Amino acid sequence: MTNKIVNDIARLLPEDMLSEILKHAASNSAADFVNARLSCKAFRAASNYDQIFENASMEKLNFVPWRKSEKVLQKRCEAAQNAEALYRKGMMDCFSLREFEFGLHCLKKAAEKGHVEAIYTYGIILICFGGELREQGLRIISSLDLTNSSKRRTRIVTSCRLKTENFLCNMWVYAALTEPTRISRSCDGDFRERPNRSSTSSEGQAWEASKNVGYCCDPCFWDGEATLFCSLLRKYLIN
């Protein structure tokens, strides 16, 4: 199909439908989005709408964009306040680009949009800071509402852990966090420290959520989770 035919058809479509088509193209791949945008004037005009990029899924894009088309799409999504883009920008700024203040701001904005992994990461970072920020981090991370269902806690925490590691192993990690200075002892639960992750696949399951985390209160659990998070950062840290 020639560009002229595509342009003639596109001109007959309402703008919201053009935007929806571009959103799905962007969610599929950066290349599909660029190709669709360049195919006709109508798509190029529609691609100026921030709503496309704010709601686009970034699941199929590399965590760290290397291709020019991916970098362009990442930037447009960031400018449109796409929650996933803000989360990725925050992770890169905090732990790779050494722009911790800017990265933390991006994570905060993504968390305010309800992005689960951003809530998890931003909350844990604040817990590591200690003091009043630790209490703030506990309040933020409590918005995940994991207290009433051990299955839900296991599922969400496992997902956050896996995404964290997938992200870290795809970028240069130059910054780490200091583990929490105290472990909460406000409950009578049995907080059992999980073993450190090793190179073997069986022992590597330590970084996945396990059922024994349900025996302690929330402050105990998140103190331990922050400790694990810091250990993972050290694993990928470039000295």
Side-chain angles (χ1 to χ4, degrees):
M1 186 179 294
T2 66
N3 286 356
K4 183 179 184 304
I5 296 175
V6 172
N7 194 59
D8 289 341
I9 295 174
R11 283 189 301 177
L12 301 175
L13 300 176
E15 290 182 348
D16 57 344
M17 184 174 293
L18 292 173
S19 297
E20 189 68 19
I21 292 171
L22 283 173
K23 185 183 77 173
H24 284 290
S27 300
N28 187 55
S29 75
D32 284 354
F33 167 75
V34 171
N35 289 335
R37 184 175 181 272
L38 295 176
S39 64
C40 67
K41 293 180 180 179
F43 277 132
R44 285 197 292 276
S47 67
N48 292 326
Y49 294 152
D50 284 345
Q51 185 178 5
I52 295 173
F53 302 100
E54 181 181 5
N55 300 315
S57 168
M58 302 181 67
E59 182 180 353
K60 294 186 179 181
L61 269 68
N62 292 323
F63 283 120
V64 180
W66 299 111
R67 295 189 180 95
K68 182 178 179 180
S69 59
E70 290 183 333
K71 291 179 180 179
V72 170
L73 185 56
Q74 169 81 19
K75 289 289 186 182
R76 294 297 296 268
C77 288
E78 288 172 18
Q81 303 295 291
N82 179 294
E84 174 68 14
L86 291 172
Y87 164 74
R88 295 184 181 199
K89 173 67 172 171
M91 289 288 288
M92 284 293 295
D93 282 357
C94 282
F95 303 118
S96 184
L97 301 180
R98 299 170 180 169
E99 297 284 353
F100 198 86
E101 184 177 349
F102 292 112
L104 201 61
H105 180 65
C106 288
L107 289 173
K108 179 182 179 182
K109 289 198 294 185
E112 289 172 347
K113 286 177 167 285
H115 190 280
V116 173
E117 291 85 3
I119 294 171
Y120 171 89
T121 304
Y122 182 57
I124 280 182
I125 290 174
L126 295 184
I127 288 171
C128 290
F129 287 163
E132 293 183 3
L133 288 176
R134 174 183 179 276
E135 300 306 316
Q136 182 182 340
L138 287 171
R139 289 193 297 270
I140 289 170
I141 216 162
S142 68
S143 65
L144 293 175
D145 191 23
L146 306 181
T147 56
N148 296 325
S149 172
S150 60
K151 289 184 178 180
R152 174 178 165 82
R153 169 180 282 190
T154 298
R155 176 174 56 82
I156 290 180
V157 173
T158 298
S159 176
C160 289
R161 289 177 174 181
L162 291 176
K163 187 166 184 175
T164 298
E165 180 151 27
N166 285 337
F167 205 122
L168 294 178
C169 72
N170 279 282
M171 69 181 189
W172 302 107
V173 179
Y174 292 112
L177 294 170
T178 302
E179 295 178 3
T181 55
R182 75 179 183 90
I183 298 293
S184 173
R185 299 299 182 189
S186 59
C187 72
D188 296 325
D190 176 21
F191 179 81
R192 289 174 283 180
E193 185 176 354
R194 274 81 64 179
N196 292 328
R197 184 181 177 94
S198 72
S199 59
T200 62
S201 59
S202 60
E203 292 176 336
Q205 301 303 316
W207 175 238
E208 296 180 0
S210 57
K211 295 181 180 179
N212 65 3
V213 299
Y215 292 117
C216 59
C217 68
D218 264 10
C220 288
F221 173 78
W222 291 114
D223 278 340
E225 192 69 14
T227 300
L228 281 175
F229 189 93
C230 293
S231 298
L232 188 69
L233 282 173
R234 289 195 302 271
K235 173 184 174 182
Y236 291 101
L237 185 65
I238 298 175
N239 297 318

